[in-house]
Amino acid sequence: MYAELSALEANQTWSIVSLPSGKHVGCCKWVYKVKHKADGSVERYKARLVAKGYTQQEGVDYIDTFAPVAKLVTVKILLALASVHGRFLQ
């Protein structure tokens, strides 16, 4: 748990700001997992800090959600077109 907190601080994952009026702080929780080696012995203990997204209310905490996802067929077409026209994709 302390290693996870240290990593979050080292990566500057968050910054402390004042809470706007009329807003509330979202909750979070620790999720623990034991990682095992192939022989079944304990390799290490892991901890993750996760947000409780189910506590949010639409229109209050967020307005819109969107996650752009490309279909595999679209990626294949782009790669084929780039290959045919001698282009490079970056």
Side-chain angles (χ1 to χ4, degrees):
M1 187 165 69
Y2 296 110
E4 177 71 13
L5 279 174
S6 298
L8 291 173
E9 289 175 358
N11 292 326
Q12 299 176 349
T13 304
W14 64 73
S15 58
I16 298 175
V17 296
S18 58
L19 187 65
S21 62
K23 300 296 178 181
H24 71 280
V25 177
C27 300
C28 61
K29 69 177 181 176
W30 284 100
V31 176
Y32 301 102
K33 186 166 186 159
V34 178
K35 296 296 232 177
H36 297 280
K37 294 181 183 178
D39 63 1
S41 63
V42 175
E43 180 180 353
R44 62 186 160 144
Y45 299 97
K46 292 194 71 166
R48 289 183 296 132
L49 185 63
V50 297
K52 293 182 179 179
Y54 57 84
T55 61
Q56 296 178 337
Q57 296 176 355
E58 185 176 3
V60 176
D61 299 314
Y62 67 94
I63 297 170
D64 226 355
T65 59
F66 179 71
V69 177
K71 293 183 179 181
L72 185 59
V73 68
T74 305
V75 174
K76 287 181 179 180
I77 290 171
L78 286 174
L79 291 172
L81 286 172
S83 176
V84 167
H85 293 289
R87 304 286 177 149
F88 295 98
L89 297 178
Q90 295 180 343

